[in-house]
Amino acid sequence: MSTYSDTTNQITLATIAQKKRTGAKLTVLTAYDYPTALLVDGSGVDMVLVGDSLGMEALGFDSTLPVTIEMMLHHTQAVRRGTRRALLVADMPFLSYQVNADEAVRNAGRLLAEGGANAVKLEGGTAVAATIRRIVEAGIPVMAHLGFTPQSVNLLGIRKQGKEAEAANRLLADAQAVQEAGAFAVVLELIPDTLAAQITAALTIPTIGIGAGPQCDGQVLVTSDLIGLRPDRPVLKHVRQYARVGEEIARALRTYKEEVESGSFP
Ligand code: KIV
């Protein structure tokens, strides 16, 4: 099997809608650069997400808040070059859609026109439903993001959302609002499994879970978590680490240094 995918069977919004109807699970992984995009796309996942987790995972910030539209464009362009089959979704960064709907449409449009994305993702529910509708009316597919929404970390803290009945009801209403506004899918991050199952059953668009249990229509993970790129930090509860790539890279780099110093390379 080839490491890199061909362009046949390209994933479209119709493929994604069909998977919801048939109950086939959807798979989503992040990429921020060309080689990772080649590998992620080659794995056969349905969607490659240029998440604004870029800020922490690739740029060394401690949150997603400093990520700008220019940074997202730069990285989306690189991921575009390596993504042939999967649907390419780019995150709308902090302040690129919250100020007003006109700015939101322009920034979403840039991610498609200049970045080469097929769709955008933004955070929020009822509060951003009108903005989602405007972006979709401009011909731009939108994925919504509910639950723990990292751009609101200062308001929410990093913890499970929707645990109390009132908050759970609000999240269900938010999910219905983004579907009604035209979103084609919704990420559910860090919410109770039972609530994710309830939202999944209530919606006709697919739910993509991260720390939201097995009942979602699909799952998303940050690729660097899955491959164990960062040995310096603990494995998060919702992550399964399928490899320890960071340790292997560190071993190779140390060996190179030792072999140059000892004269055994070149
Ligand atoms: O930015 C990101 O990587 C995300 C995923 C965690 C869903 O939003």
Side-chain angles (χ1 to χ4, degrees), residues 30 32 49-54 64 91 121 123 145 150 187 189 210 220 222:
T30 60
Y32 318 113
L49 171 67
V50 188
D52 59 356
S53 51
L54 163 75
T64 61
D91 252 338
K121 176 167 82 58
E123 299 178 5
H145 185 155
V187 168
E189 181 164 358
I210 175 164
V220 56
V222 171

